[in-house]
Amino acid sequence: MKAVIPAAGLGTRFLPMTKNTPKEMLPVVDKPAIQYVVEEAINSGIDDIIIITGRGKEVIENHFDVAYELEKILEERGEREKLEEIRRISELADIFYVRQKKALGLGHAIYKAKKLIGDEFFAVLLGDDIIVARKPCILQLKEVYEKYNATVIAVQEVEKENVSKYGIIEGEEVEEGVYKVKRLVEKPSLEEAPSNIAIMGRYILSPFIFECIERTKPGKNNEIQLTDALNLLLEKEDIYAIKFDGKRYDLGDKFDWLCINIEMALQREEFKEKLIDYLKKLLNYVG
Ligand code: G1P
């Protein structure tokens, strides 16, 4: 199975940082966000990866490329550990890049991968959503896909006041945590929302989605929405949703970015104690 990682968005919620730096390159401790997403795909057995980029996103390509000068210097200095880490990044996966020339929406971005995907089911991992989970989120979706042989999307319940930030599903629970989807609505108002079960940036999609995207008219924010294309797909094929086990962070959001940095740093032995100590002192001071 191949994976598509859309990473062409403008990141306007994270200005001024994203004026000249893609949001996907924001650091989470010491790695850019998109590396966590690529690693999630690899840890789920997917190593053919298509990243949808746009203007100003060249640093993403450079990050996964060989850094000849840097490698040479690290080699000369005998810094083996750093050298191996840097080399490992360029050997992670076969990555293909496709440019989305105009920011016309998530559906439009995914459509750019049509020729590279062909006629197979494929995974989609949004480049600014990081999911911290014991079992990689996209692997959890793959397992449901293998059972039902149909499109699967990742969902989680959200607070009512947040439904307008997400695609929301209406579904019927067919086994614990798995829903058969009846309808999807992109960023509805609280009154329009059929539930508080929200789509969370991970999908296994049927190749039929490409035909559906072709027929999708601009929707919310005048963009070609993947959620609207999924509604068309529902007319012919089934869609399942899985309430995955894990925590999702939206890297486009400043507060989420602060939280994930603290959480990931606390998971690292080298920072854990020092950070807890520091936070305790800081809270006493602030409090
Ligand atoms: C996209 C999808 C939306 C989904 C969200 C999850 O929206 O269109 O359905 O709930 O990702 O991150 P975006 O946040 O890119 O506007």
Side-chain angles (χ1 to χ4, degrees), residues 181-205:
V181 176
K182 290 185 171 158
R183 183 164 69 100
L184 311 93
V185 198
E186 180 65 10
K187 304 194 176 87
S189 65
L190 186 51
E191 296 72 49
E192 295 162 335
S195 74
N196 65 336
I197 304 174
I199 306 172
M200 289 293 170
R202 297 290 184 271
Y203 311 77
I204 304 283
L205 297 177

Side-chain angles (χ1 to χ4, degrees), residues 106 126 129 166-167 186-187 199-201 203 225 227 248:
L106 180 58
L126 300 194
D129 279 12
Y166 299 95
E186 180 65 10
K187 304 194 176 87
I199 306 172
M200 289 293 170
Y203 311 77
Q225 297 291 352
T227 307
R248 172 254 186 193

